[in-house]
Amino acid sequence: MNVLVIGSGGREHALCWKLSKNPGVDKVLAAPGNGGTNEVAQNVDVKDDDIEGLLALAKAENVGLVVVGPEAPLVAGIADACARENIPCFGPDAFAAQLEGSKAFAKNVMRDAGVPTAPFGVFDDAEEARVYVKSHGAPLVVKADGLAAGKGVVVAKTVEEALEAIDDMMVKKSFGAAGARIVIEDALMGEEASFLAFCDGVNFALLPSAQDHKAAFDGDTGPNTGGMGAYSPAPVLPESKYAETAELCIRPILKRLAELGHPFKGVLYAGLMFTKSGPMVLEYNVRFGDPECQPLLMRLDADLVQIMLACAAGRLTPDMVRVRPETALCVVVAAPGYPGSYPKGMEISGLAEADALSGVKVFQAGTKAVDGKAVTSGGRVLGVTALGSTLAEAKAKAYEAVAKVGFDGCFFRRDIGDKGIARNYNPKEKTMTKVAVFMGSASDEDLMKPCAETLAKLDIPYLFTVTSAHRTPERTERLVTELEAAGCQVFICAAGMAAHLAGAVAARTTKPVLGVPLAASPLGGMDALLATVQMPPGFPVGTLALDKAGAKNAAWLAAQILALSDPALALRLKKERAEFLPAVEKAAAAVEQADAERRAHKKDKKDKKDK
Ligand code: AMP
Ligand code: GLY
């Protein structure tokens, strides 16, 4: 059978790679493809928005399965065109594709299907939108209704920012027709994850959870991108929760679209936010995510052609989808300037060396072959993907491979997977972070090590990280929200000088906050002590001793708090305490003996003198 893959990104290289390994596939065509697809498929120069051209290609090449990578051809009706010609197509029809093509359509379907999502309004009139924003107050999210290449979403922290976004989209028309209608919704707080399912219109088969990294730089800072890396599974959505999550966000959508006469066939991608009150849907995509597709296909241990044909024909069964138990992690290597403007045509080195590492696959995105050499031709250039038995191992392997590739000015995030690792202090047992240890500065690490050592000794899953109340207030706020949503019970905050970290955390959580003042200035720690201890009523910070002594005791006190509802930990604490006894008894015996000897010696001397 011949297969046609539409698209030209890293996702499409992964699709071509997987499909080309299938023994039932004679030829994979990629339209238009990239430098990577060219190695495992035959690139054909037909653009992904040329529906007639794609259809003519499929007919000319006797294609038995059309696989659509990006959303635009689906919204433009490629699946409808294939249906007219009786060519099996993996992807929904144009009506169902509005789930991604129109945010207003998606929100209405979610509301009608009873899917949890942020409260929203839909506006065709800028003045009505302004009135809504002013009466509602910030934070709000303003979204252009139509496709805007991932750029039509503004998370507005203030009313002014929301008004500016309305102006941008509806008056200045920055996104053209896509912004003529907008959706305004409440901003949700929490950690995001992607949950994808193969669908045949009625039935679905779940893929494991994944997590994207949308911001350009480490610590989720910088501009929004198409995605700078992804991994699967995402501990924020563990396997034990897949079935109930699918009932919440996959099944109701399939049911509603079938009622509307357009059963959804293809892969349905739910973008979820794990809030304090449970998962909520931020968006639906009607295709694989890019880069989520790369780690997901690395894990897929099943016949993808069979699955896709079953989706198209309405005979999918959940057992068709099997995945390897390992974690896969993908790091995107991007061109300098991305997601803004960037240079092209730079030669890429080290591809073969990176690919040769075991468990590693380099998926190419913005690349093309020129005179037998790979050169850059896009913003996201490579998706370096690795399998590991744990998330930490997959991360280490992927970055080992990243170190081998390069081109002028390339950049990548160094923290792909860290959120999952923080949750999975013990990746094998998937235990959640129970105690968060925050330091205001990297220079505090040495003083706070005894805290981490004590928590580790007591076998308490913890996160040990740097965040500043003054320099990174947003990061601090995000960490508190995410960790609390993930089940973190106690926050330990260490800082020197104007030590506001503990107070800033206490303002954002009702979990106990423990402060450790550090001596980091000529005032010898009195400054940090007073800044930490003197909190307003309702926002207590349990303040411990200065420096290492406080660091150790903060861990102990955190353990005692956890032990209130953890009898096994309470027993461990008793045991640890009991171990102090022999040490103290030994020391006491030594001191007593030395004293006895001293006295005997003195008496001896006195006796001799008396004689
Ligand atoms: P969307 O295209 O709707 O997924 O929006 C892109 C990104 O904007 C999401 O991945 C989130 O990071 C953010 N976002 C969208 N909607 C919301 C919301 N209601 N609250 C907070 N962040 C949001
Ligand atoms: N990685 C997010 C997306 O493909 O939309």
Side-chain angles (χ1 to χ4, degrees):
M1 179 199 285
N2 293 344
V3 179
L4 169 61
V5 174
I6 300 171
S8 61
R11 166 181 55 205
E12 286 74 23
H13 184 194
L15 285 165
C16 288
W17 167 78
K18 187 77 187 170
L19 292 164
S20 69
K21 292 203 290 191
N22 195 302
V25 171
D26 300 310
K27 180 156 74 169
V28 181
L29 300 148
N34 61 34
T37 61
N38 208 26
E39 290 169 9
V40 288
Q42 178 188 330
N43 284 0
V44 186
D45 193 16
V46 179
K47 297 278 175 298
D48 60 14
D49 58 357
D50 177 4
I51 303 294
E52 288 312 312
L54 292 167
L55 202 62
L57 173 64
K59 283 200 280 188
E61 291 280 352
N62 197 20
V63 161
L65 172 65
V66 174
V67 178
V68 191
E71 61 281 9
L74 292 166
V75 173
I78 184 73
D80 308 73
C82 287
R84 283 195 290 277
E85 300 291 339
N86 282 323
I87 303 172
C89 175
F90 180 75
D93 67 14
F95 181 89
Q98 290 179 85
L99 215 46
E100 180 165 0
S102 162
K103 305 254 186 220
F105 177 90
K107 293 295 282 193
N108 288 329
V109 170
M110 282 189 247
R111 183 195 52 210
D112 296 345
V115 169
T117 188
F120 69 103
V122 177
F123 302 92
D124 295 300
D125 178 84
E127 194 44 39
E128 279 174 29
R130 288 186 199 109
V131 170
Y132 180 87
V133 164
K134 284 179 201 155
S135 68
H136 219 80
L140 283 170
V141 184
V142 183
K143 302 180 170 186
D145 178 58
L147 292 181
K151 297 201 177 107
V153 175
V154 175
V155 181
K157 287 204 196 78
T158 62
V159 166
E160 290 67 37
E161 277 173 45
L163 293 174
E164 201 178 309
I166 293 170
D167 215 45
D168 234 34
M169 292 178 192
M170 301 190 91
V171 183
K172 296 190 189 126
K173 301 192 180 357
S174 317
F175 302 109
R181 168 176 290 177
I182 62 169
V183 169
I184 303 180
E185 64 181 38
D186 289 5
L188 302 174
M189 294 279 279
E191 186 172 341
E192 286 182 53
S194 313
F195 195 37
L196 287 77
F198 288 107
C199 303
D200 75 354
V202 178
N203 307 297
F204 59 86
L206 299 172
L207 278 157
S209 60
Q211 188 170 54
D212 189 10
H213 296 65
K214 290 211 166 100
F217 309 130
D218 286 5
D220 288 335
T221 56
N224 208 41
T225 72
M228 293 299 290
Y231 62 96
S232 167
V236 64
L237 175 50
E239 196 171 347
S240 57
K241 293 268 190 325
Y242 288 177
E244 67 183 75
T245 308
E247 293 304 321
L248 212 62
C249 67
I250 304 288
R251 193 187 301 282
I253 294 293
L254 294 190
K255 184 162 170 281
R256 181 68 192 138
L257 286 172
E259 282 166 9
L260 293 170
H262 293 271
F264 186 99
K265 298 177 174 191
V267 68
L268 180 61
Y269 167 137
L272 301 173
M273 181 76 93
F274 287 83
T275 69
K276 276 183 194 167
S277 47
M280 313 262 284
V281 175
L282 294 177
E283 61 163 346
Y284 283 104
N285 294 325
V286 298
R287 46 157 180 95
F288 279 108
D290 188 341
E292 291 96 322
C293 183
Q294 291 83 316
L296 286 173
L297 290 192
M298 282 283 272
R299 293 189 66 201
L300 187 70
D301 190 15
D303 184 337
L304 185 57
V305 175
Q306 183 205 29
I307 294 170
M308 289 178 159
L309 287 173
C311 288
R315 49 179 171 71
L316 180 72
T317 53
D319 59 296
M320 287 179 185
V321 177
R322 290 176 308 277
V323 291
R324 308 164 65 114
E326 290 103 316
T327 291
L329 182 139
C330 169
V331 180
V332 168
V333 182
Y338 174 79
S341 59
Y342 48 81
K344 294 182 184 176
M346 292 158 306
E347 193 176 330
I348 305 165
S349 62
L351 287 174
E353 290 93 320
D355 243 345
L357 294 172
S358 86
V360 169
K361 177 72 205 154
V362 180
F363 294 113
Q364 300 184 30
T367 72
K368 62 179 180 184
V370 175
D371 302 330
K373 285 182 183 147
V375 303
T376 74
S377 65
R380 291 191 291 173
V381 177
L382 304 171
V384 180
T385 312
L387 277 173
S389 62
T390 63
L391 177 52
E393 192 183 306
K395 180 184 172 189
K397 232 192 236 175
Y399 279 99
E400 185 189 343
V402 167
K404 299 204 180 294
V405 297
F407 51 87
D408 281 349
C410 69
F411 80 96
F412 52 85
R413 277 180 63 160
R414 291 171 193 276
D415 63 347
I416 304 301
D418 281 3
K419 265 188 226 153
I421 290 170
R423 275 176 189 277
N424 270 357
Y425 159 74
N426 182 344
K428 285 217 170 94
E429 287 167 21
K430 300 215 165 32
T431 35
M432 306 292 202
T433 297
K434 284 277 166 42
V435 177
V437 184
F438 293 164
M439 289 157 282
S441 156
S443 56
D444 301 335
E445 189 184 348
D446 196 44
L447 287 173
M448 286 305 289
K449 260 190 203 143
C451 180
E453 284 161 6
T454 306
L455 290 168
K457 191 168 164 207
L458 294 169
D459 209 16
I460 294 169
Y462 67 94
L463 170 69
F464 191 64
T465 192
V466 174
T467 191
S468 160
H470 300 118
R471 288 173 296 143
T472 60
E474 287 91 3
R475 175 177 157 78
T476 304
E477 175 159 11
R478 185 173 49 71
L479 279 172
V480 174
T481 308
E482 286 176 5
L483 285 161
E484 195 176 327
C488 183
Q489 297 293 324
V490 184
F491 291 86
I492 296 174
C493 302
M497 300 190 274
H500 289 159
L501 185 57
V505 171
R508 288 174 176 85
T509 181
T510 49
K511 302 285 179 211
V513 178
L514 307 180
V516 183
L518 303 178
S521 81
L523 298 179
M526 283 307 284
D527 43 356
L529 173 65
L530 297 178
T532 304
V533 76
Q534 211 58 33
M535 289 292 291
F539 300 85
V541 168
T543 306
L544 291 122
L546 286 170
D547 293 352
K548 289 190 176 175
K552 225 180 221 177
N553 259 356
W556 272 96
L557 188 50
Q560 289 170 343
I561 293 169
L562 294 179
L564 292 173
S565 57
D566 183 345
L569 176 59
L571 270 178
R572 279 207 300 287
L573 289 179
K574 270 208 174 120
K575 217 174 120 230
E576 285 289 334
R577 278 270 184 101
E579 278 172 20
F580 288 126
L581 184 65
V584 172
E585 279 174 346
K586 202 171 150 201
V591 169
E592 283 165 19
Q593 163 124 21
D595 184 54
E597 278 168 13
R598 232 178 0 253
R599 267 191 280 178
H601 184 67
K602 231 178 177 173
K603 187 168 178 286
D604 225 28
K605 258 170 116 179
K606 190 172 179 280
D607 289 350
K608 268 188 193 151
K609 214 173 160 190
D610 289 350
K611 269 185 201 164

